[in-house]
């Protein structure tokens, strides 16, 4: 299945805007208060030119000091109302934004946890981190800075537009013509704008991937003195990002002077036409001043919107990129019921084929059966498909074709916790996470989740695993990091061994589980394994053939095909022949 993220290329700003509305609609309460506060402060702001115009025509002209003072008090009250409600609006919009972002980050994290390993194989960590950090940050910036202004400006523009058209329709039309022309130009340019902003965010994701990969490879870079190679790759990404951000900046900033020009042309037109109307006695001086003040209330917020527009576009592009992750459906789902098998094998591969990348088969028509109490060995050349087979048994991936049956039922119909109780694995790359050994051992193990250190230590003793714990200075409380600089490969395998064996799984998969472990410890592990219940099925994958000496059945895996080897000697011959042929 294809899990490659494609940077929201096929998504429009309008579809992101719909999603934004859905998201903020969840915060109805704070949003409603913010809206009411916006209406009140817009009303307060829009009433001031009216009061000033009225005062000029009625009180200044007639030298009415009392009337002028009352107008002054009114104005002051309106400024006060404006201040209080602007504060409420800022607070409530900020609250809405914070809640939306909080939920969105949680959603992304939950989604990432539900996605299959193929998703992480197909996408670079750096880009994912960029989506989690940079893209949500762009949304944060929009919520914390632009949304308040956008809401207020839209209300004020609409209010001012209605007032100027009602006060004098012909003067109103003269005033808004430049704005209409600029709006048409903006709409025409906006698709180019969308594209450059998307490219900018994509290059930021690329840069983040490059930095992450270089950080992971630093030991290799220094060891092989290949600073030049990585510097070149980094420079390319950095330069791409620089060029993309310059292009985006040029596009985004084009709108601001255009709106400035429209505002100036609008005011000039109103002044000329208005002066003419005053001279003919059609309007009063007060009305003209009121008009010019309203015009400022129409064009200033429009200019602000032009400044906010790019950050809105960037935020919507970021939202599209985030939704690309949220819309993915995990194929590692539990399917209800599932097809049954007539056979009573514990695990059965029925015509299983698998590819990591579409069309490139790693396993082809695999048919194997595993039965209770048996030990199976998988041998074969490097890259033959052994780890892939083991990963399918543990349901880290689902087959591309065919079915895997576990106790006669499709493996996909089992809950993950039931699977992890039945199947334990120690893969070549031991899956560990940062935390204590105890946390790593108990991860996903509901049965012993509430055990204290003492109880767990006793449990390890009962399974004779306590000897392995002695290798760690702080015992169960030893803090580990899967990063190899703080823990050896063998130590990682020992922890994975404790985790798998403690569950007493019915099927235990050991993929090169002792490859990095000294001979004495290896013998110790063999002793522990021999004490597992008799019916435990063991799958052992190893290059060192002595490790698989006691196996009941040997499978030879090569180029995605699996053949049963009748004896150890036959497996050795197959390996030698394979080496000769290649
Ligand atoms: N995550 C992945 N994405 C794409 N291809 C992969 C991935 N993991 C393995 N492969 C490819 O699948 C093939 C089988 O790999 P696999 O790890 O199963 O081999 P293996 O038999 O375990 O080899 P080894 O003996 O070296 O451990 C190889 O060609 C490998 O390059
Ligand atoms: Mg392998």
């Amino acid at each position: 299945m294809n899990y490659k993220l494609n940077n929201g290329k096929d998504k429009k700003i309008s579809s992101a805007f719909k999603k934004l509305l859905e998201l903020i609609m969840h915060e109805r309460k704070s949003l409603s208060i913010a809206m009411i506060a916006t209406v009140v402060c817009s009303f307060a702001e829009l009433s001031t030119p009216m009061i000033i115009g009225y005062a000029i025509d009625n009180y200044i002209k007639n030298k009415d000091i009392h009337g002028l003072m009352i107008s002054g008090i009114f104005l002051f009250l309106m400024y006060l109302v404006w201040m209080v409600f602007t504060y409420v609006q800022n607070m409530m919009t900020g609250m809405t934004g914070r809640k939306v972002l909080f939920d969105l980050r949680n959603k992304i994290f939950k989604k990432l946890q539900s996605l299959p390993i193929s998703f992480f194989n197909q996408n670079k960590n750096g880009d994912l981190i960029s989506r989690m950090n940079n893209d949500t940050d762009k949304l944060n910036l929009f919520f914390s800075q632009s949304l308040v202004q956008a809401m207020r400006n839209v209300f004020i523009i609409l209010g001012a537009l209605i007032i100027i058209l009602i006060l004098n329709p012909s003067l109103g039309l003269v005033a808004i013509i430049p704005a209409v022309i600029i709006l048409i130009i903006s709409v025409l340019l906006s698709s180019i704008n969308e594209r450059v902003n998307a490219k900018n965010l994509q290059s930021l994701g690329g840069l983040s991937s490059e930095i992450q990969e270089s950080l992971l490879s630093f030991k290799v870079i220094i060891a092989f003195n290949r600073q030049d190679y990585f510097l070149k790759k980094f420079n390319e990404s950095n330069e791409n990002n620089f060029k993309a951000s310059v292009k985006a900046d040029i596009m985004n900033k084009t709108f601001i002077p255009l709106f400035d020009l429209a505002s100036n042309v609008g005011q000039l037109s109103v002044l000329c036409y208005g002066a003419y109307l005053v001279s003919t006695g059609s309007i009063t001086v007060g009305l003209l001043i009121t008009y010019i003040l309203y015009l400022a209330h129409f064009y200033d917020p429009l200019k602000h919107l032009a400044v906010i527009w790019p950050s809105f576009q960037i935020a919507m592009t970021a939202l599209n990129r985030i939704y690309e992750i949220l819309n993915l459906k995990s194929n590692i789902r539990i399917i209800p019921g599932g097809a049954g098998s007539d056979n009573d094998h514990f695990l059965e591969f029925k015509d299983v084929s698998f590819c990591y990348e579409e069309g490139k088969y790693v396993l082809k028509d695999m048919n194997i059966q595993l039965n209770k109490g048996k030990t199976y060995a998988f041998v074969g050349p490097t890259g033959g498909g052994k780890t892939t087979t083991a990963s399918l048994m543990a349901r880290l991936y689902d087959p591309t074709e065919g079915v895997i049956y576990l106790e006669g039922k499709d493996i996909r119909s089992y809950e993950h916790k039931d699977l992890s109780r039945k199947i334990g694995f120690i893969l070549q790359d031991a899956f560990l996470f940062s935390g204590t050994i105890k946390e790593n051992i108990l991860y996903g193990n509901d049965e012993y989740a509430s055990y204290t250190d003492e109880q767990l230590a006793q449990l390890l003793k009962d399974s004779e695993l306590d000897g392995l714990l002695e290798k760690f200075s702080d015992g169960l409380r030893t803090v580990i990091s899967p990063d190899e600089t703080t823990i050896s490969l063998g130590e990682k395998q020992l922890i994975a061994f404790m985790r798998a064996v403690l569950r007493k799984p019915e099927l235990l998969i050991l993929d090169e589980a002792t490859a990095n472990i000294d001979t004495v410890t290896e013998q110790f592990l063999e002793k522990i394994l021999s004490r597992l219940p008799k019916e435990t099925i063991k799958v052992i994958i190893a290059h060192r053939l002595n490790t698989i000496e006691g196996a009941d059945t040997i499978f030879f895996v090569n180029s995605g095909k699996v053949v049963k080897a009748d004896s150890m000697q036959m497996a050795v011959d197959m390996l030698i022949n394979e080496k000769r042929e290649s």
Side-chain angles (χ1 to χ4, degrees):
M1 187 156 169
N2 187 17
Y3 280 103
K4 185 101 188 87
L5 299 172
N6 75 350
N7 193 33
K9 269 182 203 146
D10 46 354
K11 294 281 172 358
K12 288 249 154 259
I13 293 251
S14 52
S15 72
F17 186 59
K18 249 203 240 150
K19 282 170 208 137
L20 178 77
L21 288 183
E22 278 167 24
L23 285 174
I24 55 178
M25 277 307 166
H26 288 304
E27 305 305 328
R28 272 191 211 100
K29 202 169 146 205
S30 45
L31 193 68
S32 310
I33 302 175
M35 285 291 223
I36 294 169
T38 311
V39 173
V40 175
C41 66
S42 306
F43 174 80
E45 193 173 335
L46 286 171
S47 67
T48 53
M50 201 80 90
I51 299 171
I52 295 169
Y54 188 82
I56 293 172
D57 281 347
N58 295 289
Y59 305 131
I60 295 184
K61 234 164 141 191
N62 305 328
K63 298 196 173 87
D64 180 349
I65 300 295
H66 181 251
L68 205 59
M69 273 178 65
I70 293 194
S71 304
I73 292 170
F74 251 108
L75 267 180
F76 177 71
L77 282 178
M78 285 302 123
Y79 290 141
L80 219 57
V81 169
W82 182 86
M83 187 193 81
V84 172
F85 281 86
T86 301
Y87 175 75
V88 174
Q89 191 212 7
N90 277 334
M91 288 299 291
M92 288 299 134
T93 323
M95 182 84 86
T96 312
R98 274 191 294 277
K99 279 191 185 158
V100 167
L101 277 170
F102 176 79
D103 287 344
L104 204 60
R105 283 203 180 105
N106 271 343
K107 270 190 194 162
I108 305 173
F109 205 79
K110 268 197 194 137
K111 187 65 180 192
L112 286 177
Q113 284 191 316
S114 78
L115 288 170
I117 296 176
S118 332
F119 169 81
F120 297 94
N121 280 341
Q122 289 173 33
N123 293 288
K124 291 187 171 184
N125 280 349
D127 184 55
L128 297 179
I129 294 170
S130 180
R131 283 175 206 246
M132 280 282 281
N133 280 344
N134 297 336
D135 292 359
T136 49
D137 236 30
K138 302 278 185 248
L139 272 177
N140 191 16
L141 215 64
F142 171 71
F143 278 126
S144 59
Q145 294 177 5
S146 312
L147 186 62
V148 182
Q149 290 184 29
M151 278 167 61
R152 190 162 56 222
N153 288 332
V154 168
F155 272 104
I156 295 200
I157 289 169
L158 287 178
L161 184 68
I162 293 169
I163 294 171
I164 54 179
L165 285 174
I166 289 176
L167 281 180
N168 191 305
S170 61
L171 202 56
L173 280 178
V174 169
I176 63 167
I177 284 173
V180 173
I181 296 172
I182 293 300
L183 280 178
I184 293 172
I185 296 174
S186 307
V187 170
L188 292 178
L189 287 180
S190 88
S191 66
I192 305 175
N193 217 19
E194 244 175 72
R195 233 176 303 136
V196 289
N197 282 324
K199 199 120 196 156
N200 189 18
L201 285 186
Q202 185 190 12
S203 67
L204 198 61
L207 184 63
S208 165
S209 305
E210 205 52 62
I211 291 172
Q212 217 228 358
E213 270 171 33
S214 306
L215 284 178
L216 288 177
S217 319
F218 255 105
K219 276 193 293 183
V220 186
I221 296 175
I222 294 164
F224 287 89
N225 201 16
R226 285 312 312 267
Q227 285 88 339
D228 52 343
Y229 171 75
F230 278 92
L231 198 62
K232 195 168 149 244
K233 276 181 70 185
F234 176 78
N235 276 343
E236 271 168 24
S237 290
N238 205 10
E239 206 171 303
N240 277 346
N241 178 249
F242 175 74
K243 281 183 188 157
S245 66
V246 167
K247 262 191 205 158
D249 212 35
I250 291 173
M251 264 325 279
N252 293 337
K253 295 212 164 109
T254 313
F255 291 96
I256 302 164
L258 280 179
F259 277 86
D260 261 335
L261 182 70
S263 165
N264 292 337
V265 172
Q267 283 183 5
L268 192 66
S269 315
V270 165
L271 202 65
C272 296
Y273 186 52
Y276 165 73
L277 290 179
V278 170
S279 73
T280 58
S282 309
I283 59 168
T284 61
V285 176
L287 186 73
L288 181 60
I289 291 174
T290 308
Y291 226 92
I292 290 175
L293 287 175
Y294 272 121
L295 212 58
H297 279 92
F298 176 73
Y299 274 104
D300 280 352
L302 212 58
K303 265 194 292 186
H304 268 129
L305 280 187
V307 177
I308 296 166
W309 182 241
S311 79
F312 170 73
Q313 279 199 320
I314 291 169
M316 292 307 100
T317 311
L319 196 61
N320 269 336
R321 278 163 53 86
I322 289 169
Y323 263 87
E324 254 199 292
I325 298 180
L326 293 180
N327 288 337
L328 285 176
K329 296 222 168 3
S330 170
N331 71 345
I332 296 282
R333 277 172 296 163
I334 316 291
I335 56 164
S341 156
D342 301 334
N343 300 321
D344 57 355
H345 305 294
F346 179 80
L347 192 89
E348 181 182 7
F349 275 45
K350 187 105 178 92
D351 301 326
V352 168
S353 298
F354 178 77
C355 35
Y356 289 103
E357 288 164 47
E358 244 170 285
K360 288 189 187 162
Y361 282 91
V362 173
L363 301 180
K364 196 80 189 132
D365 298 326
M366 193 177 243
N367 284 292
I368 51 172
Q369 296 88 31
L370 309 184
N371 292 308
K372 288 214 164 154
K374 302 273 183 222
T375 299
Y376 298 89
F378 283 75
V379 295
T382 295
K386 303 181 294 296
T387 299
T388 309
T389 311
S391 305
L392 287 172
M393 286 178 189
R395 211 199 161 192
L396 297 185
Y397 300 99
D398 277 338
T400 312
E401 286 151 29
V403 186
I404 298 174
Y405 295 106
L406 178 66
E407 294 187 313
K409 265 172 60 187
D410 191 325
I411 198 168
R412 291 171 299 172
S413 62
Y414 284 83
E415 291 286 339
H416 290 299
K417 64 176 183 345
D418 295 332
L419 267 189
S420 73
R421 209 179 308 129
K422 284 179 180 295
I423 302 172
F425 55 85
I426 305 159
L427 294 187
Q428 245 170 334
D429 183 8
F431 285 5
L432 299 181
F433 60 87
S434 302
T436 61
I437 290 187
K438 182 183 173 188
E439 285 164 343
N440 270 281
I441 292 181
L442 291 186
Y443 187 69
N445 188 335
D446 292 343
E447 206 179 334
Y448 306 129
S450 58
Y451 271 40
T452 60
D453 284 7
E454 290 70 32
Q455 285 171 312
L456 187 59
Q458 185 58 45
L459 202 67
L460 289 169
K461 201 166 175 190
D462 295 344
S463 310
E464 296 189 40
L465 290 164
D466 55 331
L468 300 182
L469 204 59
E470 282 165 12
K471 304 204 178 297
F472 301 93
S473 55
D474 288 333
L476 284 170
R477 286 174 184 254
T478 311
V479 177
I480 57 151
S481 144
D483 177 355
E484 282 159 34
T485 50
T486 56
I487 183 168
S488 81
L489 279 174
E491 285 168 343
K492 272 166 69 173
Q493 287 187 319
L494 289 184
I495 299 170
F497 191 89
M498 286 191 268
R499 179 170 62 191
V501 172
L502 193 67
R503 288 162 203 240
K504 298 214 166 51
E506 292 168 64
L507 167 62
L508 181 65
I509 304 165
L510 303 146
D511 183 1
E512 293 289 353
T514 53
N516 303 296
I517 289 170
D518 64 82
T519 322
V520 178
T521 315
E522 191 182 352
Q523 280 167 1
F524 187 54
L525 296 186
E526 271 166 22
K527 224 167 88 192
I528 296 170
L529 287 179
S530 68
R531 299 221 173 112
L532 281 174
K534 243 174 61 157
E535 60 278 12
T536 310
I537 306 171
K538 282 171 239 157
V539 165
I540 300 171
I541 300 172
H543 284 295
R544 282 196 298 204
L545 294 178
N546 65 325
T547 320
I548 56 163
E549 261 166 2
D552 299 295
T553 309
I554 302 169
F555 289 113
F556 185 78
V557 189
N558 183 24
S559 311
K561 292 258 176 238
V562 62
V563 189
K564 212 185 247 184
D566 291 333
S567 62
M568 186 77 171
Q569 188 51 47
M570 188 173 165
V572 175
D573 292 344
M574 281 169 151
L575 262 175
I576 295 171
N577 284 342
E578 207 294 314
K579 285 247 159 51
R580 264 198 214 123
E581 277 166 28
S582 62

